[in-house]
Amino acid sequence: MTTSDPAAPRRTLLLSGEASAAAGAGTPAFSPLYQQIKSLLLQSLQRGEWKPGDAIPSEQELAARFKVSQGTVRKAIDELAADNLLVRRQGKGTFVATHAERHVQYRFLRLHPDHGDRQAEGPATRTVLACRRSRASAEVAAALQLRAGDAVVQISRVLSLGGAPTILEDLWLPGTPFKGLTLETLTAWAGPMYALFESQFGVRMVRAEERIKAVAASDIAAQRLQVPPGTPLLSVERLAFTYNDAPMELRRGLYRTDRHHYRNELG
Amino acid sequence: MTTSDPAAPRRTLLLSGEASAAAGAGTPAFSPLYQQIKSLLLQSLQRGEWKPGDAIPSEQELAARFKVSQGTVRKAIDELAADNLLVRRQGKGTFVATHAERHVQYRFLRLHPDHGDRQAEGPATRTVLACRRSRASAEVAAALQLRAGDAVVQISRVLSLGGAPTILEDLWLPGTPFKGLTLETLTAWAGPMYALFESQFGVRMVRAEERIKAVAASDIAAQRLQVPPGTPLLSVERLAFTYNDAPMELRRGLYRTDRHHYRNELG
DNA sequence: CAGTGGTCTAGACCACTGG
DNA sequence: CAGTGGTCTAGACCACTGC
C-alpha cells in the first residue's frame, strides 16, 4: 500500500474508516473517487459544517484537501449541484442551497394558477390554525420512522392564493429536532416554512415524495376552503427528507383546483 | 486571430451556418463547444439519422468527426443522457433512447398501486373505444400549434389496472405526421403506444407537461370507469413534445384513485 | 482480444465577480 | 487585479462487453 514514489499516478482509494466492510457476499464494494468525495461533502453538509447560504471551499482548496485533481472534485460538486444541494455561481464560488432565496421560493409547491403566473397572483397568505405537541399515531410514526407514541409537532394551516383559501394542510414533525417550535414562532415568521426550519432548527429539506389522489371535501374541509361539501379536491400527501434520506416531515394537503392546477414535468 | 501554429490550443468555434446572427442588441450569442456539439447531435436525432434503439457513433469517432477532444463530446453526450435522449451502456456504446425497452415501460405514467408495485399488479389491459379522424377545435389546435379545423386523429380508450378500469383517456394527434393511424393499427399493437408512434410514424415523445385537477365523474365517465357518478377523479391533461419542443400529442385522462395514486418526486 | 464507455490527471485558457 | 467557476485538451489507465 505504500505508494511512496512521488511521480506515480495515485490509485489508492480514500476509504476513510468503515465503508465497504461486511458486504456479505463477495462484492468488493468499490466506488470511484469522485463518488467518495461526494460522500465526504455530503457528510460535511449533513453535520452542518457549512450552513445553507454559505460558500463552501473553492474547488482548488478541496482538491488540495482531498489530494485529488480539481476535475475530480468538480465532478463530485456537479452531481451535488444537479441534486440541488449546492449552487454554483461563476466568479463567486459554490454555495449551500437554501429555501430562503428569493425567486426560488415555494420550490416544492406544484400548484399554479390556471391563468397567468405566480407573480401576477401576488404573495400567498398563511393562516396557522393550530400548532401543538402530541404523540405519533402508528401511521405517522411509520412515515417518520419513529415509534408510535413518540413526541411529534402537529401543525394545521390554510394558504390563500389570489385571495381565496386554496390549500388546507396538516403537518407532522418529529418532536426532538423541532423542540421549541410554537404557534408564536410560526405566526411571527414571514418567509417560507422550510426556510424557518433551516434557520431555527438546522433542518434542511432536500427532496420529497408526493402521493396524489382525488377526494371529496369533508364538511370541515369544505368550510375551511369555502367550497360546498363534496367538492372534488386534490389530496396531496408529502413525505419530505433531509440529507441522508431521513424523513423529517409528513404533510397532508387538500388543494382546491377550481382556479389552480398541479403542474408536473415528465422527462 | 490566425492561430496557425499546429501546437496551439484551438479556440475556433464551429458555428456551422446561421446561428447567432440577428440577435438584435449587442448580445454576442456565444456558446461553449460542447453545447454546439449537443445541438448537432440533437439535429441528427431529430432528422432520424439514428433511430430509437440504434447505437450512435463512438465518442472517439464523434470527436474525430467534429475535430474536438473526446472529453468535449463526452460532456455533450452526458447532457443528452441526462435528458433521457440517449442511454449509455458501458462496454457497448451509446444508444438512442426508446419507449420500446422492457423495464422502462410506461415511463410517463405516474399512477401506481397503493399497495405493492406495478409488477405485482400484472400488465395493463387496453381497450380502444374509438379512433377517428376529425378537425381540430380551437382549443386542441392551440395546444398542438395547428390551425382550428386542421386534421387531427382522436383516440379514446380505457386502461384497466389490476382488473379494474382505472384510466379513461382521450388523445389528439396532429393529422399529418400520423397519417394512416387507424383503430386496427391500435388494437393490433401489443406494446406501449409511444413505442408504436416511434416505429410506425417516426415520432418520439421526449418530454411532457401535465396539469392535474380534481373533478367529479360525469355520468358517461362514471359508467366507463365503473364508479358512481360524481366520484372524485384526477383529471390529468398532458401535452407531449418531440425533439425540438414541438407539441405532438394532447391527452386528457381521468384516473380513478381508489386503489392507485399519482406519484411524484420533488427534487 | 479489441472496442466501448468510465475515471483521473495536469495544465491551459476563458468568463465572471468583486475589491 | 486576484480568485472563482467554466471550458477544453491530451493522454493514461480501468471496467465492461462480446467475439
Side-chain angles (χ1 to χ4, degrees):
Chain A
M1 282 296 185
T2 56
T3 55
S4 42
D5 58 326
R10 217 176 294 95
R11 285 298 315 131
T12 31
L13 297 198
L14 307 173
L15 290 178
S16 66
E18 7 54 306
S20 63
T27 44
F30 199 77
S31 88
L33 254 185
Y34 76 87
Q35 287 287 3
Q36 301 181 39
I37 306 291
K38 186 181 172 187
S39 290
L40 292 174
L41 294 176
L42 217 31
Q43 288 171 31
S44 290
L45 288 170
Q46 205 173 129
R47 85 172 84 92
E49 192 172 320
W50 311 304
K51 303 276 180 226
D54 283 1
I56 70 170
S58 74
E59 296 180 354
Q60 286 293 358
E61 190 179 330
L62 290 171
R65 177 183 307 183
F66 296 133
K67 304 268 193 39
V68 298
S69 81
Q70 194 202 2
T72 300
V73 168
R74 190 166 180 74
K75 180 143 188 175
I77 292 180
D78 276 344
E79 294 209 349
L80 292 170
D83 293 343
N84 295 310
L85 297 182
L86 295 177
V87 177
R88 322 189 75 135
R89 281 196 264 254
Q90 183 172 148
K92 300 180 72 176
T94 302
F95 299 79
V96 181
T98 168
H99 287 272
E101 307 161 42
R102 301 267 168 265
H103 300 293
V104 207
Q105 232 149 317
Y106 296 111
R107 209 163 53 91
F108 283 8
L109 179 59
R110 292 294 228 264
L111 203 68
H112 292 257
D114 287 342
H115 308 290
D117 58 359
R118 283 187 187 165
Q119 294 293 75
E121 194 175 50
T125 309
R126 305 179 307 277
T127 309
V128 181
L129 304 177
C131 174
R132 60 176 187 279
R133 307 186 71 78
S134 64
R135 311 246 147 234
S137 67
E139 209 176 6
V140 169
L144 295 179
Q145 293 179 10
L146 303 173
R147 279 182 297 267
D150 281 0
V152 293
V153 180
Q154 183 177 351
I155 299 168
S156 186
R157 66 169 187 169
V158 173
L159 265 77
S160 292
L161 302 176
T166 306
I167 298 180
L168 168 62
E169 51 188 10
D170 288 277
L171 288 75
W172 289 265
L173 303 164
T176 312
F178 287 95
K179 193 176 302 245
L181 175 56
T182 64
L183 199 148
E184 290 67 46
T185 324
L186 282 172
T187 49
W189 185 257
M193 194 178 287
Y194 286 168
L196 170 70
F197 292 173
E198 280 176 6
S199 62
Q200 302 301 305
F201 303 94
V203 174
R204 177 172 150 71
M205 301 302 183
V206 157
R207 66 174 197 91
E209 297 171 2
E210 291 193 329
R211 293 172 164 228
I212 304 169
K213 286 170 172 274
V215 300
S218 67
D219 288 353
I220 178 107
Q223 182 206 321
R224 291 196 169 135
L225 289 174
Q226 297 176 18
V227 294
T231 301
L233 299 173
L234 285 188
S235 157
V236 180
E237 184 171 308
R238 177 193 297 176
L239 193 56
F241 300 83
T242 346
Y243 284 115
N244 40 335
D245 269 344
M248 282 302 261
E249 180 203 55
L250 174 64
R251 195 183 277 223
R252 287 191 175 136
L254 292 174
Y255 294 6
R256 275 177 63 174
T257 56
D258 46 348
R259 294 194 201 293
H260 294 79
H261 61 272
Y262 186 103
R263 186 176 298 180
N264 198 20
E265 305 264 334
L266 308 180
Chain B
M1 279 295 186
T2 56
T3 54
S4 44
D5 58 326
R10 215 178 292 98
R11 287 295 316 129
T12 32
L13 295 199
L14 308 172
L15 288 179
S16 64
E18 4 57 305
S20 63
T27 44
F30 198 76
S31 86
L33 255 184
Y34 75 88
Q35 287 287 2
Q36 301 181 39
I37 307 289
K38 185 180 172 186
S39 291
L40 292 172
L41 295 176
L42 217 32
Q43 287 171 31
S44 291
L45 289 169
Q46 203 172 131
R47 86 173 82 91
E49 194 173 318
W50 312 303
K51 304 276 179 226
D54 283 1
I56 70 170
S58 74
E59 296 180 355
Q60 286 293 356
E61 190 179 331
L62 290 170
R65 177 183 306 182
F66 296 133
K67 305 269 193 39
V68 298
S69 80
Q70 194 202 2
T72 300
V73 169
R74 190 169 180 74
K75 180 143 188 176
I77 292 181
D78 276 344
E79 295 208 350
L80 292 170
D83 292 343
N84 294 310
L85 297 182
L86 296 176
V87 177
R88 323 190 75 136
R89 280 195 266 254
Q90 181 170 151
K92 300 180 73 176
T94 302
F95 299 79
V96 181
T98 170
H99 287 272
E101 308 160 40
R102 301 265 168 268
H103 299 295
V104 206
Q105 231 149 318
Y106 296 109
R107 206 162 56 90
F108 283 9
L109 177 60
R110 292 293 229 264
L111 203 67
H112 292 257
D114 287 342
H115 307 290
D117 57 358
R118 283 187 186 166
Q119 294 293 73
E121 193 174 52
T125 308
R126 306 179 305 277
T127 309
V128 181
L129 304 176
C131 175
R132 60 175 186 279
R133 305 185 72 78
S134 64
R135 311 244 147 238
S137 68
E139 208 175 8
V140 169
L144 296 179
Q145 293 180 8
L146 304 172
R147 279 183 297 267
D150 280 0
V152 293
V153 180
Q154 185 178 351
I155 299 168
S156 186
R157 67 168 187 168
V158 173
L159 265 76
S160 293
L161 302 176
T166 306
I167 299 181
L168 168 64
E169 52 188 9
D170 288 279
L171 288 76
W172 289 266
L173 303 164
T176 311
F178 287 94
K179 192 177 303 249
L181 176 56
T182 65
L183 198 147
E184 289 69 44
T185 325
L186 282 172
T187 48
W189 184 258
M193 192 177 288
Y194 285 167
L196 170 71
F197 293 173
E198 279 177 7
S199 62
Q200 302 300 302
F201 303 93
V203 175
R204 176 171 152 71
M205 302 302 184
V206 157
R207 67 175 196 91
E209 296 172 2
E210 291 192 328
R211 291 172 166 231
I212 305 170
K213 284 170 173 276
V215 301
S218 67
D219 288 354
I220 178 105
Q223 182 206 323
R224 291 194 169 135
L225 289 174
Q226 296 177 17
V227 294
T231 301
L233 300 173
L234 285 188
S235 157
V236 180
E237 185 171 308
R238 177 193 298 174
L239 192 55
F241 300 83
T242 347
Y243 286 115
N244 40 339
D245 269 344
M248 282 299 262
E249 181 203 54
L250 175 63
R251 196 183 277 223
R252 287 192 175 137
L254 293 174
Y255 295 7
R256 274 177 63 174
T257 56
D258 46 347
R259 294 195 201 293
H260 294 79
H261 61 272
Y262 185 103
R263 187 177 299 181
N264 199 18
E265 306 265 334
L266 309 180

